[in-house]
Every structure is written in structure tokens, then in C-alpha cells.
Amino acid sequence: MENVTSYFGKNVFDDRVMKANLSAEVYQSLRKTIDEGAKLDIGVANTVAAAMKDWAVARGATHYTHWFQPLNGITAEKHDSFISSSPDGGVIMEFSGKELIKGEPDASSFPSGGLRATFEARGYTAWDPTSYAFIKGKTLCIPTAFCSYGGEALDKKTPLLRSMEALNQQALRILRLFGNDSVKRVSVMVGPEQEYFLIDREMYEKRQDLRFAGRTLFGAKAPKGQEMDDHYFGVIKPRVSAFMEELNEELWNVGVLSKTEHNEVAPAQHELAPIYTTNNVAADHNQLTMELMQKVAAKHGLVCLLHEKPFAGVNGSGKHNNWSLETDSGVNLLSPGETPYENAQFLLFLCAVIKAVDDYQDLLRISVATAGNDLRLGANEAPPAVVSMFLGDELNAILEAIDKDEPYCGTEKKQMKLGVDTLPRFNRDTTDRNRTSPFAFTGNKFEFRMLGSSNSISCANIMLNSAVAESLKIYADRLEAAEDFETTLHDMIRKTIRDHKRIIFNGNGYDETWVKEATEQRGLLDYRTTPDCVSHLLDKKNVQMLTAHKVFSEAELKSRYEITLDNYCKAVIIEANTMVDMAKTEIVPAVETYLKDVAETAVLKRTMDENMNCRYETKLVKKLSSLTERIWLETEGLEEALMNLHKAEDIAAKANMIRDTVLNRMGELRVVCDEAELTTAKSYWPFPTYGELLFGVN
Ligand code: ADP
Ligand code: MG
């Protein structure tokens, strides 16, 4: 087998390829664009495009695409071939700088939430040179941002890049105040851990709910679930391990730093974690990872389920967003430093995150809101829908000491006098682990755990980056105007701790009493569902903050509000329609066939001997008959709830009706159907059961 180092990134137009294929002058100029955002001269762009094309064609590519992330959560690509006709009747392969920098896909079918009037159907894509181009199949993929002709973002990358820039600007102001003049750039670094399920493809094909909704809408609990915890970190089965091996190879080919893989808690559940990288690249790579997971699974007769809650009663899938800030010289600003002075800076960045998470709990919750994730947040394996933070014992003790103006007796057992240059040295405590917190400090990074497995990581990071930029801006404004830097700094840190300590919770987030304490005593927000939270996207404080940092315009926020609710409604309506169809055309007929056979058995028995009592058959027929009647009634109830949706006057009202009626009706229908499953002989059941799905891959 080939050594990974020899093929890692072989399909990526990365720095190594640029250096080898561009003149020193062109390379330097491109590097300036990548590192500092300098505008690219069209002459340089032409040269880069030609080099990219030659490199791609030599690797078998025939097409190129501007690869982007519209607001429907998946990636989009429109392929154009490199060919251009030549007068002699043949073709030549061409690719210009203009084509590299800008594309004009007909974008009328992508969601825009009213941003793009239909007469202005075209949008444009713009090259993101900070994320390397790569080859997928026979196509050169160029990572791009996607905007309307008016310049409004129609994608997730544009606001992500803007939020990274906002954070960079504010973090640099803080670093300058601490006398650090050499840092040129502060980057957001992200490592997303991705959870997923693998099931057998033949079984998947037999279930409409999996095919149309990505999750099971029916299914009685299997005799065995995750009770024994014997799957977590267990031996990886041969078919799964063959899948993982090929997935890694595919990911490494396109430069994704796939690093860790293991079985997760639920049967058939697994996780993949890459090595962290710059936020926008991490987002592109995570999209690519999700896409390749599905492609490689298909090759192995498997299906990869990325839905947040594919099976009721066992754990759902999330995505842990590991997040930190790094300077261009490689210093992690969330790493406690060697000197007290560095630690004061560290504490200030820490406080900025604490303040951001408390002030913008709603935005963080909104950033992960989908119909699928609603089924997971608050269920017993996932963090609750309440946002809180875990800091660990040592940091907590330090913050408490500052808050109370008390001496700090930490690991060094030294009294802490207050004042910046006497802040204590402390060791980062990596043994401190809390798995139930939605937002945990884990030594030198924060881990935001509310993301659903199918969420784009862009959404959460846009909000997190912006909120932290806002805290830093407030700090920088005060510190720049301060007469006494150290006192102001100290007071600000203490004020942050005092004002925001309600968001810090070090206990068990899965404990029921926590949600009560959080909402009743601490006044934290508990938005259980997508319709509960999304309207707050347009709250004044949120619009002000996000527009001030130029992350979103007001029109863009309105459009995202519409699209989030629209996606929510569509997802649930598809599920409801699928349930109606499965109940009517598969479940009821199966139960009735069984019922008929049981009834015929009784008749047969009686013809053999008229004194046979046939009590079993009689009882069963009655039970089955009452079940089919209940299923029929519940189906009608659900259909009625769906019909009523047209009465909703706007998308918010529709989403509320779905939350309050349709989802309940779906739940009722499921209960009866699952009961029918347990009463019907297995050979009659029209699709694979939970037991078969969850334990069917070996
Ligand atoms: P765990 O399951 O214990 O949380 P993993 O090793 O599965 O740990 O995942 C940790 C993730 O955090 C990896 O993707 C890793 O690259 C990422 N990570 C580590 N350090 C940082 C950092 N400083 N900034 C951002 N992400 C980081
Ligand atoms: Mg983790």
C-alpha cells in the first residue's frame, strides 16, 4: 500500500503545486492575495488559471466548477468543460483568469428568501483563494462565495469570511494594546468532529422514510439498543473498516486532514475527526467529508445517514465544533501563557468568549436550528437546548477569586494579589472533562456541541465569531481610551465575570434539574424548537451587532429568517406525507393481510373440528382490527393537520402550526404503527425493523 505522505493532497492545487507551477513573481502575488486579501491583478489571475487548468487536465480533468454552499445546506456545482472550439474543427482546453475569479450560475432555483427578485435570476460566484482548488472525479472544483447581483450573500461562506475578518480586526486591536505589534493576522481555527450512522443499502432501499426523510419515522424499539455500551470505541467491523479505509484515502487525496475515527455510543454509529484548520477551509472540508462519506458508503453497499436523529430511542448524531484563535505566528490565544502578562491577555480573550456566549445565547441556538436537530437537542444524550458554558475547576477558581477580590490559591498555592502583572501562572488542566456541556473549554479551545450532524459548520461559526468580535470591540474601545490600562483591564475582567457568571455551569447538563435552574433562577434562554428561536434573529440587539460588524445586512438577515423557517416546514411536511403514505399503502395492508391469514386459520381449524375454541385467533383478529382502525383514524388526523396549514398567514404561523399540531399527530400515528409492528408476524412486516437496521452491517 502506498505511503500516505506520497499521495496526501494529490488532487489539490495547494502551496506545493503553486510553487512548482508558477513563476516566483506570480506565486508571491498570489500568496499576498491568500495571506493578506490583496486584490489579484487580472494578468496574474490569467497565469494562475492557465497553470491550474494544465495541472488539472494532466490529472484527467475535463471540467471546472465554481463550488459553493447555497442556503439549502448542501454544496452546489455547475460544470463547464474547458473545451473551446478551434478553427481547424478540433478543440483546445482553455480557462481564463476571469473564469477563475467569477462565475455566473443561473441561480433562480436556490433559496434566496426574497433577496433576489426573479427578474434578477442570476447570481455570481467569487473565488475564495484561501481555500485550495481540488479535483473531484473529472472536475476541477474552485471554492467560491455566492452572491446576488446586488451583492447580498446567498450562501454560507460569504458571511463566514466576513465574520472571520471582523474577529481578526478586533483581536488585532487587543493584541496591539498588549504591546504585540508583530502579529499581522488572527485566524479562527476549527476542528469539527463528525458523527454518522452506517446502514445496509438494501435495507435502506426498502424504507421510504429513510429515502425521503433521512430518518426512520416508524420503528418499534429493538430488543437490544445501546444499553450495554458495547459499541462505543468497540472493535470496528470489517465492512465498516473497509469503508473507513477508502474514505480516508479519498479525503487525503483532496487534502482533508482526516485523523481520528471510532465507533460511537449507538449501534451502527461512528465518528470522524480531522485535524483542525482555518475556519473557512474547515467548513469546505466538512462539506466535502459529508459528501464523500455518502459516496464511499454507496460503493460498499452501505448508506451513510447524516440526519441528527435517524432512530428513536438511541443516540442521535451531532458535530462538535472545536474552536480557537491563532496568530499568524502560530500562537493560540486561548492557551494559558507562561507569564502573568500573557495570562492577563488569555483571561481577556476567555472573558470575551464568556460574554459573547451569554449575550448571544439566542444566536448560537438559532445557528443550529433545524427540524432534525430539534429532535436531538434536549434528548437525553445531547446537550439541552439551553446554552451554558463549562470552564473546568481551575479556571473557575481563578474567575471566582477575581470576582470576590479574594486571594487565589491555585496549583501554585500562592496568594494572588490583584493587578495585571500579578495574575497567577496556571497550568491548563486537560484532565478536566465534561461531556454534557453545550459549550466547554477543553484546555486551549472551546468545544461547541450543539451542532447537528448535518449542519454546515459555517452557521455556528458565523455567530460565534461575530459575538466574540463584539465583546473584543467593547473591550478594545474601553482599553484604548483608558488612562490606566492595568486597572481598566482588571475592572473589565471582573465586571465580565460578575455580569456573566450565570452562563457558567460546571455540573451535569443532562440533569433535569439543570434546565429548571437555568431558566427559573438564572434567566437563561430555553428555546426548544426552531420556530421558538428563529424570530429572535431579527431582535434589535442581534441585527445591530451583526450589521455593525458587516457580517450580515438587514435584508440578508430577513432572508435567512425566512429560509430557516421554510426549510423547517418543508422538512416536516415531507416527513408527514411520507408517514401518511407508508401507513396507508404499506403498514395497513400488511397488518390486514396478516389479520386475514389469522382469521382464515381460525375458519380452517373450525372446519376440521367445530369444537375448536380458536381463542387466540379471535383475540388477535380483534386486536389487529382495532389497530388498523386506529392507524386509519390517526392517518386522517395527520392529513387534516396538513390540510389546515394553508390557513397560516405567513411562514412563522405555518411553522408554529407544524410544531403544535403536525408533529404531535406524527407522534400519535407512530405510536399505533409501532404497536402494530409488535403485534404483526415479522414475515408480514413491509420493511426492515430497527433490529435489522441497527445490527445489519457486519
Ligand atoms: P474529543 O473526542 O476528546 O473531543 P477528538 O480528538 O475527537 O477529541 O477531537 C478533537 C478535535 O479538536 C480535533 O478535530 C482537533 O483537531 C481539534 N482541535 C484540537 N486543538 C484545537 C485547537 N487549538 N483549535 C481548534 N480545534 C482544535
Ligand atoms: Mg469532542
Side-chain angles (χ1 to χ4, degrees):
M1 183 124 168
E2 239 185 313
N3 185 328
V4 181
T5 52
S6 68
Y7 69 84
F8 183 86
K10 77 169 186 195
N11 292 337
V12 186
F13 194 78
D14 60 17
D15 201 62
R16 297 172 296 182
V17 183
M18 292 177 195
K19 259 202 197 115
N21 291 281
L22 300 170
S23 70
E25 201 186 338
V26 171
Y27 171 77
Q28 286 309 335
S29 171
L30 178 59
R31 230 21 282 176
K32 239 178 131 63
T33 302
I34 296 173
D35 298 335
E36 295 161 37
K39 204 167 178 318
L40 200 65
D41 171 82
I42 186 68
V44 175
N46 279 329
T47 318
V48 174
M52 242 186 217
K53 184 250 316 170
D54 289 343
W55 168 83
V57 169
R59 275 155 191 77
T62 53
H63 288 67
Y64 71 92
T65 182
H66 275 201
W67 187 72
F68 60 101
Q69 293 149 35
L71 295 168
N72 56 12
I74 51 175
T75 54
E77 37 195 83
K78 172 192 157 217
H79 296 192
D80 279 304
S81 79
F82 289 120
I83 65 164
S84 196
S85 58
S86 71
D88 61 3
V91 290
I92 50 166
M93 303 293 254
E94 268 186 343
F95 186 47
S96 70
K98 211 171 132 250
E99 288 167 310
L100 166 64
I101 291 173
K102 191 168 170 180
E104 300 192 5
D106 177 353
S108 48
S109 299
F110 293 112
S112 80
L115 269 185
R116 188 179 2 76
T118 33
F119 61 84
E120 247 193 315
R122 288 168 91 78
Y124 69 90
T125 48
W127 181 32
D128 168 16
T130 60
S131 181
Y132 296 134
F134 58 92
I135 300 172
K136 202 175 67 179
K138 287 179 178 285
T139 303
L140 170 67
C141 299
I142 299 153
T144 52
F146 177 43
C147 295
S148 76
Y149 254 99
E152 289 109 346
L154 294 173
D155 69 346
K156 302 189 176 178
K157 174 170 272 203
T158 308
L160 177 65
L161 291 170
R162 293 175 186 158
S163 74
M164 290 165 66
E165 183 48 34
L167 189 41
N168 169 51
Q169 281 176 19
Q170 302 304 331
L172 284 178
R173 284 176 73 195
I174 298 288
L175 292 181
R176 299 284 181 262
L177 283 160
F178 278 86
N180 192 333
D181 294 319
S182 58
V183 173
K184 285 211 211 74
R185 193 163 186 89
V186 173
S187 300
V188 183
M189 307 305 284
V190 171
E193 301 161 54
Q194 175 73 49
E195 292 181 339
Y196 61 97
F197 278 83
L198 279 183
I199 58 166
D200 184 76
R201 180 160 287 271
E202 269 183 40
M203 292 189 203
Y204 166 91
E205 296 291 353
K206 292 188 183 129
R207 291 199 58 133
Q208 287 196 65
D209 49 3
L210 286 173
R211 287 195 349 247
F212 296 141
R215 72 167 174 119
T216 55
L217 297 163
F218 299 104
K221 216 168 165 251
K224 180 178 184 223
Q226 63 190 48
E227 301 80 0
M228 309 288 281
D229 276 337
D230 51 355
H231 190 253
Y232 191 52
F233 281 30
V235 178
I236 299 173
K237 291 175 177 159
R239 253 176 105 188
V240 175
S241 127
F243 157 86
M244 286 180 173
E245 212 172 280
E246 189 173 339
L247 176 63
N248 276 334
E249 247 172 72
E250 291 262 356
L251 289 169
W252 291 336
N253 279 339
V254 290
V256 177
L257 292 154
S258 169
K259 170 88 174 161
T260 313
E261 57 209 2
H262 58 77
N263 288 349
E264 262 300 328
V265 176
Q269 193 184 28
H270 312 279
E271 181 186 291
L272 181 149
I275 298 174
Y276 66 97
T277 180
T278 321
N279 200 164
N280 62 321
V281 176
D284 285 353
H285 281 181
N286 183 248
Q287 291 298 136
L288 209 47
T289 302
M290 292 194 285
E291 184 183 323
L292 286 171
M293 280 178 165
Q294 307 196 54
K295 185 180 133 195
V296 173
K299 282 206 209 161
H300 290 258
L302 300 167
V303 174
C304 169
L305 301 177
L306 290 168
H307 193 283
E308 282 74 18
K309 195 73 184 174
F311 302 98
V314 297
N315 278 6
S317 300
K319 183 139 55 188
H320 292 177
N321 189 77
N322 293 275
W323 181 97
S324 66
L325 297 173
E326 199 173 286
T327 66
D328 53 344
S329 46
V331 175
N332 180 352
L333 297 173
L334 292 181
S335 205
E338 291 298 316
T339 65
Y341 211 70
E342 283 169 356
N343 275 342
Q345 182 185 297
F346 161 73
L347 276 182
L348 190 64
F349 277 102
L350 188 81
C351 283
V353 182
I354 295 172
K355 179 173 163 52
V357 173
D358 189 27
D359 285 341
Y360 298 99
Q361 299 161 46
D362 45 0
L363 289 181
L364 291 174
R365 172 65 184 92
I366 292 165
S367 75
V368 300
T370 60
N373 213 19
D374 283 0
L375 298 168
R376 174 181 158 266
L377 292 179
N380 67 358
E381 87 286 356
V386 179
V387 181
S388 70
M389 289 175 97
F390 167 84
L391 295 177
D393 290 342
E394 183 165 29
L395 269 185
N396 225 38
I398 290 172
L399 297 191
E400 237 163 63
I402 297 175
D403 173 23
K404 299 198 178 114
D405 267 340
E406 278 172 359
Y408 166 71
C409 307
T411 42
E412 294 184 346
K413 303 275 174 244
K414 221 168 57 183
Q415 283 228 328
M416 183 175 97
K417 277 188 256 108
L418 289 168
V420 171
D421 50 12
T422 50
L423 275 172
R425 275 185 64 168
F426 42 86
N427 304 315
R428 63 175 215 226
D429 188 359
T430 43
T431 57
D432 234 331
R433 283 281 187 195
N434 177 317
R435 299 244 164 229
T436 62
S437 175
F439 206 107
F441 184 71
T442 45
N444 61 356
K445 61 181 163 68
F446 278 99
E447 191 170 332
F448 183 33
R449 299 179 174 137
M450 283 171 90
L451 287 80
S453 46
S454 69
N455 283 159
S456 153
I457 65 165
S458 297
C459 305
N461 287 301
I462 291 167
M463 295 309 179
L464 183 55
N465 297 344
S466 307
V468 175
E470 173 67 9
S471 305
L472 293 175
K473 177 183 177 295
I474 292 170
Y475 293 164
D477 285 349
R478 274 192 217 145
L479 287 171
E480 279 166 3
E483 279 172 18
D484 177 351
F485 177 77
E486 296 199 357
T487 311
T488 310
L489 175 67
H490 176 76
D491 290 350
M492 252 171 32
I493 289 179
R494 196 173 55 188
K495 182 167 163 35
T496 302
I497 298 165
R498 289 194 173 159
D499 291 351
H500 299 286
K501 64 175 157 207
R502 64 171 188 165
I503 197 79
I504 298 166
F505 175 64
N506 292 303
N508 180 3
Y510 296 178
D511 199 336
E512 267 172 42
T513 56
W514 160 236
V515 176
K516 210 167 137 61
E517 178 188 330
T519 52
E520 289 172 17
Q521 284 155 40
R522 301 191 182 210
L524 298 177
L525 301 172
D526 182 20
Y527 294 136
R528 295 282 167 102
T529 68
T530 300
D532 290 347
C533 64
V534 178
S535 61
H536 297 286
L537 185 59
L538 302 178
D539 285 357
K540 202 166 158 206
K541 77 166 184 38
N542 294 333
V543 175
Q544 265 172 0
M545 187 276 280
L546 290 164
T547 53
H549 289 281
K550 299 195 163 46
V551 174
F552 285 114
S553 68
E554 203 164 340
E556 286 170 346
L557 282 171
K558 286 207 177 105
S559 84
R560 266 146 232 258
Y561 158 80
E562 294 266 336
I563 291 170
T564 308
L565 286 177
D566 193 46
N567 286 343
Y568 172 84
C569 293
K570 282 180 180 150
V572 182
I573 291 170
I574 290 172
E575 292 181 347
N577 284 330
T578 306
M579 284 188 94
V580 168
D581 193 61
M582 286 173 82
K584 274 189 181 167
T585 68
E586 293 185 282
I587 296 176
V588 170
V591 180
E592 292 271 301
T593 309
Y594 180 50
L595 182 156
K596 176 176 136 274
D597 287 356
V598 176
E600 279 177 8
T601 307
V603 174
L604 263 178
K605 279 186 175 177
R606 286 241 171 80
T607 26
M608 288 167 70
D609 174 354
E610 62 187 30
N611 293 324
M612 281 230 195
N613 71 29
C614 297
R615 273 212 299 269
Y616 167 69
E617 289 81 0
T618 313
K619 254 182 117 166
L620 188 54
V621 166
K622 277 193 188 150
K623 171 112 208 245
L624 292 168
S625 187
S626 106
L627 278 167
T628 48
E629 181 163 341
R630 279 166 62 204
I631 295 174
W632 171 62
L633 284 173
E634 291 299 345
T635 310
E636 286 208 318
L638 177 54
E639 282 180 304
E640 197 188 310
L642 284 168
M643 300 257 281
N644 282 335
L645 290 179
H646 78 267
K647 293 183 192 152
E649 67 259 25
D650 60 15
I651 191 75
K654 188 169 167 183
N656 287 343
M657 282 172 84
I658 285 177
R659 176 196 58 198
D660 299 335
T661 60
V662 177
L663 279 167
N664 289 338
R665 286 291 185 177
M666 285 164 62
E668 303 286 343
L669 175 58
R670 178 178 183 145
V671 170
V672 218
C673 290
D674 290 356
E675 201 183 327
E677 182 191 326
L678 293 175
T679 320
T680 305
K682 255 207 182 74
S683 56
Y684 289 76
W685 202 247
F687 37 75
T689 61
Y690 265 33
E692 290 165 319
L693 290 166
L694 287 168
F695 296 94
V697 175
N698 289 304

